[in-house]
Amino acid sequence: MLGLHAADITMRYPTPRGALEVLSGVSLELAPGDAAAIMGPSGSGKSTLLYILGALETPSSGRVTLDEEDPYALPESALALFRNRKIGFVFQDHLLLPHCSVLENVLAPTLVDSSRDGPADRERALTLLAQVGLTDRIDHRPAELSGGERQRAAVARALIRRPRLVLCDEPTGNLDRATAEAVVSLLIDLHTREQTILVVVTHSTLLAERLPVQFDLVDRRLVRRRVDERG
């Protein structure tokens, strides 16, 4: 079945006092076009879960598949290519390359794939930058942009490879309320256009309530909110 599937994910970290369990029996299913928010207190394991879903951190047990492919069954080189082609990331800190222009930053994920099409990639980058309102900023470096502009550039970069899955870790955490609302609207609009699977980890109730599916990560487990629990 197409989509994102996580089954019985557990994550433990070794400590001097024994294993620290951060996630326990977490399961999740999202279809193409779904958008979900994951909420929970600091230290609850939200970012850890996001990194596992994005094939950045191997779970202690359980299974993750994206469009029926298990990234953790791939050799390291194939895993890196899987992440590059199928997953887009937006972090709280935009992580733009400081010495590169906005356009170069958006194109950066295309440079590691020998099968890339340079002219087509550039055309898509320019289209995405127009959609996020940065056409007049393509030659600027990150230090010359506002916080909201940097985050919009990060959104464009996340979408450059037409990923199946877009993962956002506190994407509005460093933004003021007005800018945060603009970035959220942009994320949702581009998600709808691209029909990605969107997963957003956030502390913001306002952001979470913009997404049709909401989860709470409580006591190491993921619990889907009922409609009457929202707001």
Side-chain angles (χ1 to χ4, degrees), residues 120-128 159-162 194:
D121 289 338
R122 180 182 173 85
E123 181 179 352
R124 175 156 173 81
L126 292 172
T127 298
L128 286 168
L159 294 173
I160 186 66
R161 300 304 311 272
R162 301 182 189 274
E194 302 278 334

Side-chain angles (χ1 to χ4, degrees), residues 128-148:
L128 286 168
L129 286 168
Q131 290 173 345
V132 301
L134 291 177
T135 296
D136 60 347
R137 299 290 204 188
I138 63 172
D139 294 322
H140 289 64
R141 287 179 169 77
E144 301 172 296
L145 305 179
S146 69

Side-chain angles (χ1 to χ4, degrees), residues 80-89 106-117 120-121 124-125 128 155-166 194 196:
L81 194 58
F82 176 93
R83 282 194 298 259
N84 178 264
R85 290 177 174 176
K86 294 197 173 185
I87 305 174
F89 296 93
V106 173
L107 284 169
T110 71
L111 302 180
V112 300
D113 189 348
S114 60
S115 67
R116 68 187 187 275
D117 182 337
D121 289 338
R124 175 156 173 81
L128 286 168
V155 171
R157 180 185 58 190
L159 294 173
I160 186 66
R161 300 304 311 272
R162 301 182 189 274
R164 298 287 291 160
L165 174 63
V166 177
E194 302 278 334
T196 60

Side-chain angles (χ1 to χ4, degrees), residues 30-219:
L30 295 171
D34 281 348
I38 298 175
M39 301 188 71
S42 295
S44 61
K46 301 186 304 297
S47 293
T48 297
L49 176 58
L50 202 74
Y51 299 156
I52 290 172
L53 297 178
L56 289 172
E57 192 164 358
T58 305
S60 302
S61 63
R63 189 165 186 258
V64 176
T65 62
L66 179 60
D67 292 344
E68 301 181 337
E69 188 170 10
D70 180 355
Y72 294 109
L74 300 172
E76 187 59 37
S77 59
L79 174 59
L81 194 58
F82 176 93
R83 282 194 298 259
N84 178 264
R85 290 177 174 176
K86 294 197 173 185
I87 305 174
F89 296 93
V90 181
F91 298 100
Q92 180 173 346
D93 185 350
H94 51 81
L95 300 182
L96 298 177
L97 301 172
H99 301 299
C100 293
S101 69
V102 168
L103 178 59
E104 289 167 339
N105 267 285
V106 173
L107 284 169
T110 71
L111 302 180
V112 300
D113 189 348
S114 60
S115 67
R116 68 187 187 275
D117 182 337
D121 289 338
R122 180 182 173 85
E123 181 179 352
R124 175 156 173 81
L126 292 172
T127 298
L128 286 168
L129 286 168
Q131 290 173 345
V132 301
L134 291 177
T135 296
D136 60 347
R137 299 290 204 188
I138 63 172
D139 294 322
H140 289 64
R141 287 179 169 77
E144 301 172 296
L145 305 179
S146 69
E149 288 172 331
R150 288 193 289 268
Q151 202 63 315
R152 282 188 274 150
V155 171
R157 180 185 58 190
L159 294 173
I160 186 66
R161 300 304 311 272
R162 301 182 189 274
R164 298 287 291 160
L165 174 63
V166 177
L167 302 173
C168 305
D169 192 2
E170 297 287 358
T172 62
N174 291 333
L175 305 176
D176 62 75
R177 178 166 177 167
T179 305
E181 289 179 350
V183 169
V184 171
S185 294
L186 172 66
L187 268 173
I188 293 172
D189 178 57
L190 291 177
H191 154 72
T192 301
R193 293 188 194 191
E194 302 278 334
Q195 282 296 288
T196 60
I197 301 167
L198 175 65
V199 181
V200 181
V201 159
T202 182
H203 283 102
S204 170
T205 302
L206 290 175
L207 191 164
E209 289 179 347
R210 296 283 302 276
L211 303 180
V213 180
Q214 298 172 32
F215 295 96
D216 289 304
L217 191 53
V218 181
D219 295 331

